[in-house]
Amino acid sequence: PQPGRYALLLTEEDMYPLHVLPDGVKIAGVASIRSRQPCALNIAEFKRAALQNACNEISVNFGVAAKSIETWNAQDFADWAKECGVTDILTAEAPVGFVAPCLKQLALNLVNHGVHLHLFRRRWDELCWPHARKGFFGFKEKIPCIISDLKLL
């Protein structure tokens, strides 16, 4: 994403992307949504509460409104973006899992509303994902290089 103002979308895949936001990104609002995956009531409640807590923390830290979006309807997201005064929504990439196809479809549907969904990927994901294809032992061999590239040691 380019520098500018974005509405920040949190999902159950990534509830705190702030420390890896691209430079120059300004948060205009924050919202959360859960995947469509059915789950036990206590798990659903845990996810809802965790997302609400994350949204509230970002809302307070950035002085922006927080919202919970209940469906993956593009119109709801377009309305939220308009409330935030933006046409761009930013969220952490979910390369796999139940959220990934929802984000992909949402991005396609938002274009019809003049809103763009931007995905960003963390640096460690950039380095790790290409090696995470053949189980742990194949990945394990790459860990020293990944740690070095991330300048963790």
Side-chain angles (χ1 to χ4, degrees), residues 111-131:
V111 171
N112 297 329
H113 297 273
V115 175
H116 303 282
L117 181 65
H118 303 270
L119 307 177
F120 70 92
R121 184 183 284 182
R122 297 170 191 274
R123 175 79 174 124
W124 59 77
D125 287 334
E126 289 278 334
L127 294 171
C128 294
W129 270 101
H131 307 296

Side-chain angles (χ1 to χ4, degrees), residues 26-125:
K26 305 292 182 209
I27 304 301
V30 61
S32 64
I33 189 159
R34 287 192 40 238
S35 73
R36 296 180 185 146
Q37 176 65 21
C39 59
L41 185 58
N42 59 338
I43 294 171
E45 179 54 29
F46 176 83
K47 289 178 182 183
R48 187 205 57 76
L51 280 164
Q52 181 179 5
N53 183 61
C55 267
N56 289 343
E57 183 177 338
I58 292 169
S59 172
V60 168
N61 287 338
F62 286 86
V64 297
K67 181 175 188 154
S68 175
I69 299 176
E70 300 300 322
T71 71
W72 287 89
N73 181 318
Q75 184 65 57
D76 294 341
F77 286 90
D79 291 345
W80 168 58
K82 185 176 180 181
E83 290 169 20
C84 294
V86 299
T87 56
D88 295 286
I89 298 172
L90 181 64
T91 193
E93 180 187 26
V96 297
F98 299 114
V99 171
C102 297
L103 289 175
K104 189 175 192 174
Q105 188 61 53
L106 179 62
L108 294 172
N109 294 343
L110 280 172
V111 171
N112 297 329
H113 297 273
V115 175
H116 303 282
L117 181 65
H118 303 270
L119 307 177
F120 70 92
R121 184 183 284 182
R122 297 170 191 274
R123 175 79 174 124
W124 59 77
D125 287 334

